[in-house]
Amino acid sequence: LPYIDASGQIPFDPSAGNVGVYAIYDHEMSLRFIGQSRYCDNSLRCHLGRMPSECYHFKIQTVARPSRTILDEIKKVWVEEAGAPTDNDGADRQARWEGAINVQKNVELSAAEQKGLADMSSENTIKTLRDICRRVQQDIEDVLEARGYAGRVQFNPKLKEQGLLDVSTVKIAAVESIGEDTKLDASLQTKADRKAPKGMAATPM
């Protein structure tokens, strides 16, 4: 599936199920990241806000009831088919997908911004961090506008004084809390299904 469709939206309807596993591909169709979530609609939107230049295609499989075991099985099948995603490294790359943008660490700063952060005044440092976050937010919004995204990505204003920029989100339960007993939605069938364990199905891109 295209990450942004012709109507300018992310083509995923959570009413059909929102707990699942998803894979994200860049513009060259390279597998970049595989995630699991209780709120896939929210997660897809967050990834677009954090990594707007890397989210070009995705596939997703939802489950009827949360089960980490089943989600891990789906992920395993996808990795066997496409290879390991480049950014599920358990380190900095994965952190960029899963957490807020740290503007002091992940963003190239101008000389003026570096000077502002070097000021010993805590008040000036907070102001500089806010200004950098606003600048990065504008850059992200410009990228999304150029790509035709018609949705709205809201950023958490409370994080900016800490030098963190992230999409405002609902509270997401950790995958570790997902139970073991579930049944997959078998309404979508692809070649991956024939390799997957019984009861599993994948949504095509």
Side-chain angles (χ1 to χ4, degrees), residues 87-95:
D87 294 352
N88 285 84
D89 62 352
D92 290 345
R93 287 184 177 181
Q94 187 165 334

Side-chain angles (χ1 to χ4, degrees), residues 100-181:
I101 300 169
N102 184 328
V103 299
Q104 297 183 77
K105 181 179 180 181
N106 304 130
V107 175
E108 185 175 347
L109 304 178
S110 68
E113 290 168 341
Q114 293 178 35
K115 182 179 179 180
L117 291 176
D119 190 315
M120 296 302 292
S121 166
S122 60
E123 180 179 346
N124 186 69
T125 298
I126 290 175
K127 179 182 182 302
T128 301
L129 288 172
R130 285 174 176 164
D131 289 344
I132 296 171
C133 285
R134 293 189 184 107
R135 190 259 296 175
V136 175
Q137 176 178 337
Q138 186 61 57
D139 291 344
I140 291 171
E141 291 172 347
D142 289 346
V143 170
L144 294 178
E145 181 179 2
R147 292 188 56 193
Y149 183 58
R152 185 178 181 185
V153 175
Q154 293 181 303
F155 291 87
N156 189 333
K158 296 181 180 180
L159 295 176
K160 292 179 180 178
E161 64 182 39
Q162 303 172 46
L164 301 174
L165 184 67
D166 203 11
V167 180
S168 297
T169 176
V170 298
K171 185 176 180 181
I172 298 178
V175 172
E176 285 72 12
S177 69
I178 293 177
E180 298 299 327
D181 183 25

